Amino acid sequence: MLKLKNQQLILQFTYGVYKVNESFLSLIPHLKSNKPQTLKRPIHIIAQSLTTPIKGIAHKNDIPLWSPTVFNGNRSGANAIQVFHLVYDVDDGIAPFSTWRLFSDHYVIAHTSFSHKPEHHKYRIIIPLALSIPASDWSRACIAAKEHWDNTVYRGEPDNKALKDVARIYYRYAHKSQLDKNDPKQDI
């Protein structure tokens, strides 16, 4: 649990497997869609879904997306209601993918991103929140989330723009080797 200095907002992370049994997330079928589908699922199902590679994809723009936020209507910051997962989107290549192990006190979901390379690690660390954060408080909560990263990892930087964006969407787990090799339009 983290407290922002001189503020009442508390950012509580999920500790252990059973602290939060179910959670919400929004699914978006493709990049051009702004109509999320809200789902409530057991945490282990969310983890399995977010870490199972998407197959049969012709190019990156066909990969379905998800958001840790639930929306009232179309996906936008103005329509964001609650944030249910903390997502560290790490693309700087400094902290290796194994960094997720530093969050072992939490229930952690982690996967590499589409552009991950052995010489330049890109990945996401997803931590379900014990208590969802109202979207109106996310600008303060993301400060505590960044402090948590700094106090836990000590190096590398998650994408601060992604961390601050309450309406952020993320590609589901897929990698280039799973693209349809028969599609001449694939963007590898």
Side-chain angles (χ1 to χ4, degrees):
M1 184 172 7
L2 296 174
K3 292 184 181 180
L4 288 173
K5 296 172 184 155
N6 302 320
Q7 296 180 5
Q8 297 288 35
L9 183 67
I10 298 172
L11 185 61
Q12 288 186 317
F13 299 106
T14 302
Y15 292 92
V17 176
Y18 301 105
K19 181 74 172 184
V20 173
N21 293 321
E22 293 185 314
S23 190
F24 291 86
L25 74 157
S26 295
L27 296 181
I28 299 95
H30 53 78
L31 188 58
K32 294 186 180 183
S33 175
N34 68 347
K35 298 186 186 318
Q37 175 189 5
T38 301
L39 295 178
K40 181 180 182 181
R41 297 286 187 267
I43 288 291
H44 74 278
I45 298 296
I46 291 173
Q48 182 180 13
S49 297
L50 294 179
T51 59
T52 299
I54 301 293
K55 296 184 180 182
I57 300 297
H59 45 81
K60 184 178 178 180
N61 289 340
D62 291 336
I63 300 171
L65 300 105
W66 72 281
S67 177
T69 303
V70 169
F71 302 92
N72 181 17
N74 291 342
R75 184 186 67 84
S76 71
N79 291 337
I81 300 171
Q82 297 280 115
V83 180
F84 287 85
H85 307 271
L86 170 61
V87 181
Y88 292 117
D89 191 13
V90 184
D91 290 335
D92 68 2
I94 295 171
F97 176 60
S98 60
T99 296
W100 72 267
R101 292 185 179 119
L102 297 174
F103 294 94
S104 62
D105 287 346
H106 310 299
Y107 186 90
V108 178
I109 304 166
H111 65 81
T112 57
S113 62
F114 189 77
S115 54
H116 174 82
K117 295 178 179 142
E119 67 277 2
H120 190 103
H121 289 205
K122 295 184 179 188
Y123 55 91
R124 289 189 193 93
I125 296 172
I126 304 152
I127 302 173
L129 297 171
L131 298 173
S132 63
I133 303 290
S136 59
D137 289 333
W138 188 249
S139 62
R140 295 181 330 172
C142 71
I143 294 168
K146 177 64 169 74
E147 286 178 9
H148 186 53
W149 173 274
D150 292 342
N151 292 332
T152 303
V153 179
Y154 306 109
R155 63 181 176 156
E157 289 288 325
D159 181 341
N160 281 321
K161 184 177 175 185
L163 188 59
K164 291 177 184 178
D165 184 358
V166 72
R168 188 67 170 200
I169 55 176
Y170 301 95
Y171 284 107
R172 297 269 308 274
Y173 177 48
H175 44 80
K176 293 178 183 181
S177 65
Q178 292 168 315
L179 292 176
D180 184 351
K181 304 288 189 221
N182 299 319
D183 185 343
K185 294 183 258 175
Q186 65 184 359
D187 58 351
I188 297 181

